[in-house]
Amino acid sequence: MRFEHLYLFDIVRHGPESSYNDLTFESLCCDLTVNGTFSPIKLVIIYRPPCSPVNCTTPNMFLDEFSDYLSLLSTSVCKLLVVGDFNFHWDSAIDPYSARLKDLFETLDISQYVNESTHVNGHILDLVCARSSDNFVVSVNVSCFLTDHATVHCSLNLCKPEARKHNISYRKYASMSHDAFANDISQSDLVNNPSDDLQIIVEQYDSTLRSILDVHAPKKNCTKTFRPANPWFSPEITNAKKLHKRLERRWRRTKLIADRQRFSAQRLLVANMINEAKAAYYKNKIPSCDKQKGLVQNC
């Protein structure tokens, strides 16, 4: 049999994998989560070996066991995606086992999306199934035959989540004149005519400092965007990007050729740092898959 191992990039994370090996079929199950969302996808890969005297199984035995397993999976709140080699002629109108599998899917509101032959003998053996209500399977295409089975490509509606935005307020304390600020405080009633009542002087302290701050460092509002952190991003890259922004602002303010050259050199440095960090991250990521029996495993 053939299982294609999962290799998932920045936007998708996968949880612990679990297997369900019954008498008549094998499965691999894991949860896929798109960053920033709370609705993971439960991916289940199924392989049913053909019936033979060696494994002592029958199609009806598989359908009984798979019905119990699928009923258990259907209780999950996650979106459900079931794929794999079922070794039934799904396209056959007279195959009683395919008819029973179709009845099972219909009972659980599961749709099957492969409509082209996936085997060299001209039958649909490999299926892509999901709940009809989830409505996240965009398209399924059957490609070239690498073995006696064709490659099946499935496109899912997993749009990158929108970045979260928050409105924040701030003051530019660093740009205000500390001497002028201190002078205004010294001339205020808080210093020259303080109240003897504790509650009143607390309110006087708050209102006086707030009004003086509004003059020297008025409150400003902005919208800040929060994006998922990249696993390869480092503090060194953050500092380099901050310097890049400062040099850009200086060049736009002065319009000097020297400032533009420093800005361009820093921009190139940041780009190289990001590319090297990405390369190092994925270079370490790929060998780590050896612990999970490789990127692609043929059984």
Side-chain angles (χ1 to χ4, degrees):
M1 64 179 176
R2 171 185 295 268
F3 279 138
E4 291 194 3
H5 191 81
L6 299 173
Y7 186 61
L8 307 167
F9 292 89
D10 295 344
I11 191 61
V12 179
R13 299 286 182 265
H14 68 96
E17 298 169 357
S18 62
S19 60
Y20 180 93
N21 295 327
D22 217 321
L23 182 64
T24 60
F25 71 97
E26 301 174 7
S27 74
L28 181 68
C29 178
C30 68
D31 292 338
L32 309 183
T33 304
V34 179
N35 284 355
T37 66
F38 300 94
S39 179
I41 296 173
K42 186 172 292 294
L43 173 63
V44 183
I45 303 175
I46 299 293
Y47 174 68
R48 184 186 79 87
C51 298
S52 70
V54 177
N55 56 36
C56 300
T57 63
T58 66
N60 283 325
M61 290 172 60
F62 163 75
L63 290 168
D64 290 338
E65 292 182 350
F66 183 65
S67 176
D68 294 338
Y69 183 48
L70 194 59
S71 298
L72 179 65
L73 291 173
S74 64
T75 61
S76 171
V77 296
C78 306
K79 292 182 178 179
L80 181 63
L81 182 66
V82 181
V83 302
D85 179 4
F86 285 76
N87 271 311
F88 282 136
H89 294 174
W90 179 268
D91 51 310
S92 175
I94 60 174
D95 185 349
Y97 307 116
S98 294
R100 186 179 168 188
L101 183 61
K102 292 174 183 177
D103 289 340
L104 173 62
F105 285 166
E106 183 177 357
T107 301
L108 297 175
D109 189 34
I110 292 176
S111 299
Q112 199 289 118
Y113 294 91
V114 180
N115 296 316
E116 303 175 56
S117 298
T118 63
H119 193 262
V120 291
N121 291 333
H123 290 288
I124 300 176
L125 306 185
D126 305 277
L127 310 181
V128 174
C129 314
R131 291 194 195 96
S132 304
S133 57
D134 288 341
N135 193 29
F136 70 105
V137 178
V138 177
S139 63
V140 174
N141 299 308
V142 177
S143 184
C144 59
F145 284 84
L146 299 178
T147 61
D148 57 336
H149 286 257
T151 303
V152 180
H153 298 273
C154 179
S155 297
L156 306 178
N157 183 18
L158 298 179
C159 297
K160 184 176 180 179
E162 294 184 1
R164 295 180 293 111
K165 296 183 178 182
H166 295 283
N167 295 323
I168 61 174
S169 301
Y170 65 97
R171 297 179 187 270
K172 293 185 176 181
Y173 295 107
S175 62
M176 73 180 190
S177 172
H178 291 187
D179 293 337
F181 180 67
N183 182 63
D184 286 350
I185 292 177
S186 64
Q187 297 179 8
S188 67
D189 290 339
L190 177 63
V191 175
N192 299 321
N193 188 25
S195 174
D196 295 330
D197 185 272
L198 178 60
Q199 183 64 31
I200 295 177
I201 197 172
V202 169
E203 295 175 357
Q204 189 179 30
Y205 181 90
D206 180 73
S207 60
T208 301
L209 290 184
R210 191 181 300 275
S211 61
I212 296 175
L213 275 176
D214 287 340
V215 174
H216 295 276
K219 184 182 292 186
K220 297 181 180 294
N221 299 315
C222 72
T223 301
K224 189 170 183 179
T225 302
F226 294 88
R227 295 182 175 85
N230 292 312
W232 42 262
F233 219 76
S234 66
E236 291 78 13
I237 296 177
T238 300
N239 294 333
K241 290 190 70 175
K242 288 180 179 179
L243 178 58
H244 164 261
K245 291 296 184 182
R246 288 200 299 269
L247 293 175
E248 181 182 10
R249 289 193 295 268
R250 180 186 299 174
W251 166 63
R252 294 189 182 280
R253 184 177 66 253
T254 64
K255 303 298 182 182
L256 295 177
I257 296 178
D259 287 337
R260 185 180 187 279
Q261 290 174 344
R262 282 190 287 268
F263 158 62
S264 299
Q266 185 66 19
R267 179 177 59 184
L268 181 61
L269 174 64
V270 171
N272 290 336
M273 290 178 67
I274 291 176
N275 289 335
E276 290 174 2
K278 281 183 177 180
Y281 172 76
Y282 289 117
K283 185 178 179 180
N284 295 328
K285 184 75 172 179
I286 294 174
S288 68
C289 294
D290 290 340
K291 299 178 181 179
Q292 302 173 7
K293 301 183 181 179
L295 295 182
V296 179
Q297 175 187 3
N298 294 328
C299 302

